[in-house]
Amino acid sequence: MGKRSSSNDSKYNAGLTGCRFCFDEMNRILPLLMSPDCEALLAEEVKNNEFLLIRTESSRSRTLAELRRRFDAMGGDFWEYYLTLCEESQRVAMLFAVLKTYHIAMDFHLNVVIEKWKSVDQTVSPYDLEMEFNNIASKDEFVDSWSDATRKKIASSYLTILRQVGLLNERTDMLQPLRIADEDFAYYIKQGEGWFLEACLLQSYEIERIKSVLL
């Protein structure tokens, strides 16, 4: 009988259960993450709750761990750029950071959201995500070991992210494209991340127009 897969063998993690979009929280904590005294400042924040404004110490610790995971996944240059953006473009940039940090979110986005956008039925439901979970679990024993409760929490967190960034209509659960300045979208092309424009549900002609900003 084969050895059971552990988290160390898998590219997936369940971090989204402890941290959803966390846009305001990240903005408040970002100066700490960017400081040379990061370690000491984060330790103080877990105890003092000056910025996160999260009730329990254990919840603050979990949230900070996930915000730091996002920060580390993107690197300091990205966050320096992030700070120059208006709120609308920051929200889009946070979606980019989430997709780059969590493989499960990336799979949901590429295999469910974009495919739904191209289809007749442009709504996204927990059932759609469960079908993708089953597909991932069939190839990854660690994901297959997750409980139904964990799966539901991750799916709920991901749908919350879509709503808070503006990709999913709050009332209808219909997908809708993101709208920010062409110059802000052009950043992702310059970084070799042109796929993200399609992830924001832009049409081909819009992407071509944005590429012209770079000429």
Side-chain angles (χ1 to χ4, degrees), residues 16 19-26 70 87-95 98 156-171 173-174 176 178:
L16 279 180
C19 186
R20 296 189 174 193
F21 197 43
C22 289
F23 177 74
D24 293 330
E25 292 85 349
M26 180 57 115
R70 294 180 193 182
E87 180 179 333
E88 221 171 26
S89 294
Q90 280 188 342
R91 286 183 178 274
V92 172
M94 186 67 76
L95 173 66
V98 167
S156 174
S157 295
Y158 176 71
L159 290 173
T160 296
I161 289 166
L162 294 186
R163 293 186 183 103
Q164 291 187 352
V165 78
L167 273 174
L168 199 63
N169 186 283
E170 292 272 3
R171 292 182 297 102
D173 284 338
M174 288 279 292
Q176 53 197 18
L178 296 179

Side-chain angles (χ1 to χ4, degrees), residues 63-120:
T63 299
L64 268 179
E66 292 308 317
L67 293 180
R68 184 164 191 176
R69 190 200 295 266
R70 294 180 193 182
F71 181 84
D72 291 344
M74 303 309 299
D77 288 347
F78 172 83
W79 297 108
E80 291 281 1
Y81 167 73
Y82 174 91
L83 290 173
T84 70
L85 299 171
C86 67
E87 180 179 333
E88 221 171 26
S89 294
Q90 280 188 342
R91 286 183 178 274
V92 172
M94 186 67 76
L95 173 66
F96 180 68
V98 167
L99 297 181
K100 295 287 283 186
T101 303
Y102 302 100
H103 287 286
I104 197 78
M106 182 71 87
D107 281 6
F108 283 161
H109 214 84
L110 298 180
N111 301 330
V112 179
V113 167
I114 292 178
E115 292 307 308
K116 280 283 204 168
W117 179 244
K118 294 175 179 176
S119 72
V120 175

